[in-house]
Amino acid sequence: MKKTFSNECQNCSGFTRGFLFSPIQANKAGIALAFCMTAILLSIASPVTAMTEMADKEMSNVSGQALLQMDKEFTNGFTFYKAGLDAKLELNTNFEKLQLGCGGVNGPGACDLDIDNFSLGCVADSSGACLSLDPRGRQIPGAPAGTASQLKDFLIERPFFQFAIKNDNSKTLREVVGIRLGGEDVSGPLSFGSLNTFSGYMSGQANLEMQGADNVAITCAYADRPCVAPGADTSGMNNGGASSWGSPPAACGFFGCNRAGLPAPEGGYLNLGDDMILDIGIASIRFQEALVSYGTVTRNGNSVLLSGNRQNQAAVSGIELGGVVNSLVYGNNDGSTNVGASPLELADTDAGALVGIFGPTLLPLLRGGVSDQIKRQLAAGLRIYDPNEATNQAIINSKSDGAINTDLNNYDLPFNVTNVHQIDVTSDLFGLSFQKEDVQYPGYVESVKRGWAMYAPDAFTLDIAQPVTTFVSGITGSSAARDGNIVGLEPPFKNCWGSARFC
């Protein structure tokens, strides 16, 4: 059995609030959802003729499979009853505003799920690839290009209700504590204009590629000065810490100078604060006086996880930023301080003749100083200890280089879910549910909290592929990374067709 839905809901917030969690008992909300789904299933059923009585001999000659599918299992402390259809739903639906669980058991002033321009399905090109176009059909920069030629549906095979029953063996204490709507195979495009609030479980993975470069200035451009590291040794510093490359010329001595007057660096600026890297008495070198080259560092398959009630930030874990800095500086893949194939090299220096002569000999010490300073400035930019800048810096100043390295490795990078616009679902666990207490449905890796919840495993991939200069600047030069906006994702799918009023 296969039926197709196509629907436009211009403002569904009022509609959905009719059967959301509220101070009314959870069972009443479940009855309302069950009534709604029953109406949908009945609306897609094919017309049937009146039933005709069959004799036993006639029945013995007939075989088939029931339209209704039933199942029961006990797991995670509950008995789960499943009631479904042996059918396929092909959905293409738009909701201008979808809000579930506003107020209710999780408190006033917010919704468990709050989504603007929520779409099931998309407009696709002839190959079946979803398109992202603005309401006038114009190409969005960075989005897949193509010509709209078909609708691509969101598919639910064998849709079902699953009821979580507590105390199933007790006639007096038995109660329904959760209802889940899902399918044995759910697939297809789903998109959000803005995912404002999320409840449930959503997972993905993050791939990090910090792209190497040659001839990179460690500090900032002259126009962006001052750039001075907190607590820096400022003896001999010029131009507010700005790099010698791209700064106005100045006098130069034999043992140390600010030659400056040099062209802007080919590899750009790391935008770190200036400090003394190494001072051996007869010669010294500052960050502003160094031009460096380094290789590309990759970290793939890092976990991205969002779970709980009314969340708006996911956590990217496993990146191990301390190890990433080590790999960048020492040119290895294991995050250690062992020198690998493409370590950081001193491409040029503006620190005088002696440093130029002994630069290769000093490189091990230079790498250690650069590595430790980058880590301290990343810890400052990310506010890994305290959101207050002064308090955070005081904690950094009290910690050893090794402690900061460990803390950066354990740091989870925040990521705002408002940046997530596309999900290509392929799962037998994707579903929507509501429950009066925490329930771990069969197959779920963890319980979903009371209220409304969406379960979306392996929902998206976060690719952070940037030059090191861009990545570091997003941490030390702005609040983008600590605010959860280290990188954006693809825009929502286009799902306008015919007279649809919004995409």
Side-chain angles (χ1 to χ4, degrees):
M1 175 180 176
K2 181 174 75 172
K3 289 292 178 179
T4 300
F5 259 150
S6 184
N7 181 45
E8 293 289 335
C9 181
Q10 297 303 318
N11 191 331
C12 296
S13 58
F15 173 75
T16 56
R17 285 196 183 98
F19 36 97
L20 302 183
F21 262 36
S22 67
I24 300 175
Q25 297 177 355
N27 287 346
K28 292 186 178 181
I31 292 172
L33 179 59
F35 176 81
C36 175
M37 188 59 185
T38 301
I40 292 175
L41 296 179
L42 289 175
S43 72
I44 65 171
S46 298
V48 296
T49 58
M51 292 186 292
T52 303
E53 183 178 356
M54 298 177 68
D56 289 345
K57 183 176 181 180
E58 291 176 303
M59 292 180 64
S60 67
N61 294 325
V62 176
S63 62
Q65 183 173 334
L67 174 63
L68 297 177
Q69 305 288 315
M70 312 296 289
D71 187 34
K72 174 186 175 181
E73 65 177 296
F74 179 83
T75 186
N76 303 323
F78 299 98
T79 303
F80 295 92
Y81 290 87
K82 183 187 291 185
L85 290 177
D86 184 20
K88 177 189 288 187
L89 300 182
E90 297 178 340
L91 306 175
N92 192 284
T93 306
N94 292 326
F95 300 86
E96 186 172 10
K97 187 72 172 177
L98 179 65
Q99 293 179 312
L100 299 173
C102 300
V105 296
N106 290 320
C111 302
D112 296 343
L113 289 167
D114 186 354
I115 306 171
D116 295 335
N117 293 353
F118 175 61
S119 295
L120 299 174
C122 71
V123 172
D125 62 17
S126 58
S127 70
C130 292
L131 303 177
S132 296
L133 305 174
D134 72 9
R136 297 183 181 181
R138 297 173 300 192
Q139 180 67 31
I140 297 175
T147 302
S149 61
Q150 61 176 310
L151 290 176
K152 186 174 181 179
D153 295 325
F154 186 84
L155 306 177
I156 305 177
E157 293 194 35
R158 296 187 178 89
F160 60 75
F161 277 120
Q162 190 168 54
F163 301 88
I165 309 298
K166 187 176 182 179
N167 303 317
D168 190 37
N169 294 325
S170 173
K171 294 181 180 179
T172 56
L173 299 177
R174 181 188 297 128
E175 62 175 327
V176 178
V177 295
I179 302 176
R180 171 192 171 206
L181 172 61
E184 292 188 12
D185 186 13
V186 183
S187 62
L190 176 155
S191 65
F192 317 108
S194 179
L195 180 53
N196 304 313
T197 306
F198 180 85
S199 295
Y201 177 92
M202 182 185 292
S203 65
Q205 72 171 13
N207 300 320
L208 174 67
E209 180 183 277
M210 295 179 64
Q211 299 160 353
D214 295 327
N215 301 315
V216 179
I218 296 181
T219 62
C220 65
Y222 184 77
D224 297 328
R225 70 193 188 287
C227 45
V228 183
D233 176 356
T234 59
S235 58
M237 186 179 71
N238 294 282
N239 296 324
S243 172
S244 297
W245 282 263
S247 292
C252 177
F254 183 78
F255 291 106
C257 62
N258 177 35
R259 191 169 66 231
L262 302 170
E266 297 175 4
Y269 299 88
L270 275 177
N271 286 297
L272 293 175
D274 183 43
D275 197 359
M276 186 73 72
I277 301 177
L278 183 65
D279 186 351
I280 58 174
I282 62 172
S284 64
I285 180 171
R286 305 188 59 82
F287 281 105
Q288 68 174 175
E289 298 169 328
L291 198 67
V292 297
S293 298
Y294 46 79
T296 296
V297 175
T298 59
R299 293 288 189 273
N300 294 328
N302 303 287
S303 171
V304 184
L305 180 62
L306 173 66
S307 66
N309 276 124
R310 301 182 178 181
Q311 303 293 307
N312 53 33
Q313 275 195 342
V316 184
S317 60
I319 292 180
E320 298 188 345
L321 284 173
V324 168
V325 174
N326 283 343
S327 292
L328 177 71
V329 173
Y330 293 97
N332 58 48
N333 293 317
D334 59 11
S336 70
T337 56
N338 298 321
V339 178
S342 55
L344 178 143
E345 299 287 351
L346 189 61
D348 198 356
T349 178
D350 187 24
L354 286 179
V355 173
I357 294 171
F358 295 106
T361 305
L362 298 174
L363 264 178
L365 296 175
L366 295 177
R367 290 181 186 131
V370 171
S371 176
D372 292 337
Q373 187 60 258
I374 291 176
K375 292 172 189 177
R376 287 183 175 273
Q377 295 195 38
L378 291 183
L382 291 169
R383 308 279 201 273
I384 68 171
Y385 299 114
D386 194 278
N388 178 271
E389 181 179 5
T391 303
N392 185 72
Q393 188 59 53
I395 297 174
I396 292 172
N397 294 342
S398 70
K399 286 184 172 285
S400 67
D401 294 331
I404 292 176
N405 179 77
T406 299
D407 294 338
L408 280 173
N409 282 340
N410 294 330
Y411 177 75
D412 291 341
L413 191 68
F415 186 72
N416 288 335
V417 295
T418 52
N419 292 311
V420 178
H421 300 293
Q422 301 178 5
I423 296 178
D424 192 7
V425 177
T426 305
S427 174
D428 58 353
L429 295 175
F430 181 89
L432 187 68
S433 66
F434 65 89
Q435 40 283 323
K436 65 178 295 185
E437 62 182 72
D438 297 359
V439 175
Q440 186 174 358
Y441 292 91
Y444 283 18
V445 299
E446 64 179 47
S447 298
V448 289
K449 304 297 183 181
R450 69 174 186 169
W452 285 86
M454 179 183 291
Y455 193 86
D458 303 320
F460 62 93
T461 298
L462 176 61
D463 287 318
I464 307 174
Q466 298 175 333
V468 172
T469 50
T470 302
F471 183 83
V472 172
S473 295
I475 295 176
T476 62
S478 76
S479 64
R482 67 174 179 268
D483 290 342
N485 300 310
I486 189 65
V487 68
L489 291 178
E490 296 85 354
F493 294 132
K494 171 182 170 65
N495 202 34
C496 292
W497 196 260
S499 60
R501 289 169 51 194
F502 78 94
C503 296

